[in-house]
Amino acid sequence: MTKSSKKLLALLLAVMFAFSAVPFTASAAETTNTVNVTGIPGVNYNLYKIASVSAENGEYVPSFTRTDDTKAVYDEIVAAKDNTTALYQALDQVADSAIAGYGSVVKTFAFTDTQATIDYTGDDGIYYLRRTTDPMPVNIEQITRGSVFALPIATDEASFSVAAKVKYLGEPTVQKKIQVENGTTPAGDTNYNDVDYATAGSLDTIRYKLTADITGSMDNKLKKYVIADKMDPSLDETKVTIVSVTLKSSDYTDVTLTDGMYHKNAFGSDYTFGLFIDSAVLGGRQVSGTRTFYDYDTVEVIFTTALKNTAPHKTLLPNKDWLVYNNNSTNVSQPEDTDTVKEGDEVNVEGFKLNVVKKDKDGVTKLEGAEFELYKNADCTDKVDGVKAVSDANGVAEFKFSNGSYFLAKSNDKFWAKETKAPVGYTLNPNPVEIQVGDNGQTSEVVVTDTKIKLPETGGAGTMMFTLIGAGLMIVAGVLFVVVYKKRSAK
């Protein structure tokens, strides 16, 4: 290659990206050069000068000594090949702890604005931009580690973009649904409908599905990936059970993560719990064959919980989720200011109270003091334990727990109420009554009637027997008196 060709190639090098096959060579003259480096906010770089130019022969002179550890980079500089690909790849293999041994930091590029540009003015030589800070904004998948450019340049100023080293993803989304059974078979996802609102009773298991996009990559690994959940206080966090954690992709068969690949723990005061992807999985551990976490599109979490027995009647009980992630986390079990937080959806459940109305057989007079138990079947063999109802002055008997909170039911539920204690002066009604729950609670008033107890009337058949017995005794006593008197008189 002629010297003029090498100068032309050096000019091209100053304005090409590191992935390009960019020729470079040196010039014997020391000049001052200005390079405009453009980057994106949060991706910061150190600029190392790894070689200078010999004034004697115009060749590049490495800024470090050739050893067994440094020879790959050293030889690439001395050889002055026609492209920089091998050189920056060799530099990228150098550990962060050792890179300082290849040259001095002549400038730090800390980008704060979108597509920001920072100038560097320096002498002829070979320069290496090494990424020092990896952000995890919502749409970055991959950042090429380093870039190389050479000086001199033929013009007073040249431009170099490290922003172009960033590969973008779409913004991750987070979705939450309540899963309600639809009665289809076989069991599985097809057996459920995903809804934003559902009703739930005190005896029910509530099933939630959380779906979050996967971000990051093997080149930009995460240190934290948490699907955080916040439940209404009337939803029982002590009954949360993780059913499954599944990685899904349009390209691969779904893979279910096993215990140890994820964890459920407390996650700060603002969340009920967090579902953490394990650090080994985020670090690139294979989850299926040769595939890693980053090969998949979404994480799907299925979990169940239940209502507390203090849950209010006909009140929306929200549940919401967030995606929290970071590739520079120092405390994965707690929220951090550097986290990227993506807010998800809110879904709601509510339940309905049950009651019967106690009346006289006339259908008008309301009776107080009747007691009822609740059953799941018409034969009254399957009782709801810990729940009863007592009619008040208006005859209304609401089914409650012993703590006074309502027993709740969901839409289309059926229960049966059976009287166990009648009001004073009334007979016990032995017949169970059905309570049908509609879409918005009980469909109609359920009435249980009782009949008054009838005592025998005075002089009736109930007292006649005692009267006859008493009269008979009096007659017998009189006869005995006469007999005894006559016997004594005869003597």
Side-chain angles (χ1 to χ4, degrees):
M1 179 180 290
T2 65
K3 194 148 188 167
S4 60
S5 297
K6 289 185 177 181
K7 287 182 179 180
L8 176 61
L9 292 173
L11 172 63
L12 293 174
L13 173 63
V15 295
M16 297 295 289
F17 301 141
F19 280 139
S20 304
V22 183
F24 67 99
T25 187
S27 169
E30 284 289 330
T31 58
T32 299
N33 314 272
T34 300
V35 178
N36 302 321
V37 180
T38 302
I40 66 169
V43 187
N44 299 333
Y45 296 82
N46 282 340
L47 181 63
Y48 295 86
K49 185 175 182 180
I50 60 173
S52 57
V53 178
S54 170
E56 297 178 357
N57 56 23
E59 300 294 333
Y60 290 116
V61 179
S63 301
F64 52 93
T65 303
R66 187 181 189 277
T67 66
D68 289 343
D69 293 330
T70 65
K71 63 182 180 181
V73 176
Y74 189 100
D75 292 346
E76 289 297 332
I77 293 173
V78 172
K81 294 180 180 178
D82 289 344
N83 70 74
T84 63
T85 301
L87 177 56
Y88 84 71
Q89 287 179 346
L91 284 163
D92 281 354
Q93 296 302 312
V94 179
D96 290 337
S97 60
I99 192 64
Y102 288 77
S104 59
V105 176
V106 295
K107 190 175 182 66
T108 296
F109 291 85
F111 298 102
T112 57
D113 299 325
T114 302
Q115 297 293 299
T117 299
I118 299 175
D119 294 338
Y120 171 71
T121 301
D123 298 329
D124 297 349
I126 298 178
Y127 294 82
Y128 174 56
L129 277 163
R130 174 84 162 215
R131 192 175 83 248
T132 59
T133 305
D134 290 341
M136 184 42 64
V138 295
N139 59 349
I140 291 181
E141 176 188 19
Q142 179 179 343
I143 307 173
T144 303
R145 185 170 191 177
S147 300
V148 172
F149 62 86
L151 300 175
I153 53 176
T155 59
D156 292 336
E157 196 170 285
S159 297
F160 190 87
S161 175
V162 288
K165 309 302 181 183
V166 178
K167 181 180 178 182
Y168 289 87
L169 280 172
E171 186 174 345
T173 59
V174 188
Q175 185 183 72
K176 183 161 193 173
K177 296 291 182 183
I178 304 168
Q179 290 200 307
V180 295
E181 293 185 14
N182 59 24
T184 60
T185 55
D189 287 346
T190 57
N191 202 34
Y192 295 93
N193 291 329
D194 294 339
V195 298
D196 298 319
Y197 164 84
T199 60
S202 301
L203 301 180
D204 296 317
T205 296
I206 308 169
R207 181 179 170 110
Y208 292 99
K209 182 172 83 171
L210 294 70
T211 305
D213 287 342
I214 291 174
T215 188
S217 70
M218 287 294 287
D219 293 313
N220 193 21
K221 299 185 181 84
L222 301 177
K223 289 189 176 179
K224 175 191 291 183
Y225 185 99
V226 181
I227 298 177
D229 192 273
K230 185 174 184 180
M231 299 163 51
D232 185 272
S234 290
L235 296 168
D236 196 340
E237 69 276 7
T238 67
K239 293 184 179 178
V240 170
T241 299
I242 304 299
V243 176
S244 62
V245 179
T246 307
L247 303 184
K248 291 179 170 286
S249 170
S250 57
D251 298 321
Y252 312 119
T253 302
D254 297 347
V255 58
T256 298
L257 299 186
T258 57
D259 291 345
M261 292 184 176
Y262 69 87
H263 312 275
K264 181 184 78 68
N265 295 309
F267 185 58
S269 58
D270 292 334
Y271 306 102
T272 305
F273 70 91
L275 192 290
F276 301 74
I277 300 300
D278 188 73
S279 59
V281 175
L282 296 179
R285 173 184 172 183
Q286 294 170 349
V287 295
S288 178
T290 60
R291 290 186 287 277
T292 71
F293 174 79
Y294 304 103
D295 290 315
Y296 293 85
D297 300 326
T298 58
V299 179
E300 179 189 273
V301 178
I302 305 292
F303 79 91
T304 60
T305 188
L307 298 180
K308 291 181 179 177
N309 67 1
T310 54
H313 155 69
K314 209 170 185 179
T315 301
L316 293 178
L317 306 177
N319 192 310
K320 195 169 185 178
D321 64 345
W322 289 259
L323 174 62
V324 182
Y325 56 97
N326 195 323
N327 67 345
N328 197 30
S329 175
T330 58
N331 188 353
V332 297
S333 62
Q334 293 293 323
E336 299 170 285
D337 292 340
T338 55
D339 289 337
T340 298
V341 181
K342 178 65 179 177
E343 188 172 358
D345 305 318
E346 180 179 288
V347 295
N348 291 273
V349 296
E350 68 174 331
F352 308 118
K353 64 184 180 181
L354 303 176
N355 66 70
V356 295
V357 179
K358 186 67 176 175
K359 293 183 179 180
D360 185 275
K361 193 175 182 180
D362 62 16
V364 177
T365 306
K366 296 173 181 177
L367 305 178
E368 183 179 5
E371 295 185 8
F372 298 86
E373 290 182 341
L374 194 64
Y375 292 85
K376 303 174 191 176
N377 60 345
D379 294 336
C380 293
T381 57
D382 192 1
K383 186 171 73 171
V384 179
D385 292 327
V387 175
K388 73 174 184 177
V390 181
S391 61
D392 59 18
N394 294 315
V396 178
E398 296 178 323
F399 285 94
K400 297 181 179 181
F401 294 102
S402 58
N403 64 4
S405 297
Y406 294 117
F407 173 83
L408 300 180
K410 66 177 181 296
S411 298
N412 301 315
D413 270 349
K414 285 184 181 181
F415 289 93
W416 284 261
K418 186 176 181 180
E419 188 174 1
T420 57
K421 180 181 178 182
V424 176
Y426 283 81
T427 60
L428 190 71
N429 189 327
N431 301 314
V433 293
E434 180 183 302
I435 305 173
Q436 173 69 51
V437 184
D439 291 338
N440 201 30
Q442 282 188 233
T443 56
S444 60
E445 183 179 76
V446 178
V447 178
V448 181
T449 60
D450 274 4
T451 303
K452 285 184 177 180
I453 297 174
K454 290 188 177 181
L455 296 174
E457 297 178 3
T458 302
T463 61
M464 183 61 70
M465 182 178 294
F466 297 106
T467 302
L468 293 174
I469 292 173
L473 289 175
M474 291 175 64
I475 293 171
V476 170
V479 170
L480 288 175
F481 175 78
V482 172
V483 171
V484 172
Y485 178 78
K486 287 182 175 182
K487 284 183 178 181
R488 287 182 178 179
S489 297
K491 293 180 180 179

